[in-house]
Amino acid sequence: MRVLCRFFIIVILLGLSACVSFSEAETSPPYSLNKNEKITLFFSDENNLEKESPYYDALLTLQNNFDDQKVIIINSSEEKLVNSFDIQEFPTLLIIKGEEVKGSLSGFQNYEKIEAFLQEVILPSNERF
């Protein structure tokens, strides 16, 4: 049942990410350049969704705890975006604030490591969940 639930969550997240048009990506990034806003970019390989499930679980936890945290999923087929961020490995998670990359995590990781990374980079020490 849990595997089926994860599958549906992944499908929903991919569906939502497909709603974001990246056709403008050639001229502008798919996120806000507000200096105070942190954006989470998740570079996903659609051929390895099952192995990426710890990332999706951690991103769902993040979104459930912080409604204002923007998460954008970028498929490996989005070559211009992948190249513009110099992504060498999938999956890759980038946290961006303004124009600066505040943190990155690549490769297959367990949920606990991903969650710890997100807490460290996104939250001030007194707000970690």
Side-chain angles (χ1 to χ4, degrees), residues 56-67:
Y56 287 102
D57 291 344
L59 291 171
L60 280 173
T61 299
L62 175 71
Q63 292 232 289
N64 285 336
N65 289 314
F66 301 95
D67 295 335

Side-chain angles (χ1 to χ4, degrees), residues 2 10 16 18-19 23-24 26-27 29 40 48 55-56 59 62-63 68 70 77-78 84 87 96-97 99 104 122 127:
R2 185 167 168 85
I10 290 171
L16 290 174
C19 294
S23 61
E24 301 167 7
E26 296 175 29
T27 58
T40 303
N48 285 310
Y55 280 94
Y56 287 102
L59 291 171
L62 175 71
Q63 292 232 289
D68 62 341
K70 215 181 263 186
S77 61
E78 297 290 337
S84 70
I87 302 300
I96 303 201
K97 184 175 182 182
E99 295 183 22
S104 66
I122 291 176
E127 293 182 21

